[in-house]
Amino acid sequence: MTESTFNSAGAEPTWLAPSGRAIAHGSAIPAEGRETPVRVSLDGCVHPDRRGEGFGTALLAWQEARGLQHLATSDETLPGRRRNIGKQAT
């Protein structure tokens, strides 16, 4: 992971190789509208050539922390739940 660039300035973090090619990308997005329970969906992927280098582990840690931030800022007094959506890049 040392030769990559991590950008988490926006709502969705991305790791880029020096060439600019995406290595990993993820998101933590709260559901819109009033639902029971309050939900945050976590979605992400790591390029198949870069698996096993710790990108997925770091990405999931960011997503879980960001998801909890979203749940903590909800004004609803409903139960909260994170939903992980995994996909494999091809």
Side-chain angles (χ1 to χ4, degrees):
M1 287 184 18
T2 56
E3 84 252 16
S4 63
T5 302
F6 177 62
N7 177 8
S8 65
E12 301 179 348
T14 301
W15 274 276
L16 299 176
S19 66
R21 184 176 182 182
I23 296 171
H25 176 78
S27 65
I29 302 170
E32 293 185 20
R34 185 181 174 116
E35 295 184 32
T36 305
V38 177
R39 295 181 199 195
V40 176
S41 295
L42 310 180
D43 189 11
C45 63
V46 175
H47 192 281
D49 294 344
R50 302 303 297 262
R51 293 194 182 138
E53 297 180 41
F55 291 105
T57 300
L59 182 61
L60 183 58
W62 179 92
Q63 290 174 302
E64 288 180 337
R66 186 69 175 134
L68 289 173
Q69 287 175 344
H70 284 306
L71 292 174
T73 60
S74 172
D75 293 334
E76 302 295 335
T77 56
L78 303 169
R81 186 176 102 184
R82 290 182 317 234
R83 183 177 77 168
N84 296 349
I85 306 169
K87 27 178 178 176
Q88 293 188 0
T90 54

